Amino acid sequence: MDVQRLTRTAARLFGDLGPAGALTVRELPDGLGICVWQTGVRGGGTIFVGCDETVLFVGSATGFDAGLAAFRQGRRTPAERFRSEP
């Protein structure tokens, strides 16, 4: 698993959402991918990134275990949902 490549994917998506801060990265169990969140940002969210670079964004109210369960079940967030409207 290329953690740096997956982290770049998450960083780009966080950048699409707004000003990006420092990121914290956690590898997911069973080589599923990574979980990334912005350090020191209240009310943000978490992006789960699979090895195939598909992603799931979950809001800060969703705990890690619930987000991981949804990711394992195949829920994904379409890339266009990260882009801000012109």
Side-chain angles (χ1 to χ4, degrees), residues 15-32:
D16 287 347
L17 293 173
L23 301 177
T24 300
V25 178
R26 174 180 177 180
E27 287 189 41
L28 298 176
D30 305 326
L32 292 172

Side-chain angles (χ1 to χ4, degrees), residues 13-86:
L13 294 172
F14 271 120
D16 287 347
L17 293 173
L23 301 177
T24 300
V25 178
R26 174 180 177 180
E27 287 189 41
L28 298 176
D30 305 326
L32 292 172
I34 62 171
C35 172
V36 184
W37 63 93
Q38 292 179 304
T39 306
V41 174
R42 269 188 79 131
T46 300
I47 298 177
F48 291 84
V49 184
C51 293
D52 61 356
E53 295 188 50
T54 59
V55 300
L56 172 65
F57 176 85
V58 296
S60 60
T62 303
F64 174 80
D65 292 331
L68 179 59
F71 190 74
R72 280 189 167 143
Q73 291 169 0
R75 284 192 46 210
R76 298 295 185 267
T77 304
E80 56 270 9
R81 298 278 311 265
F82 289 93
R83 296 187 194 105
S84 59
E85 296 297 320

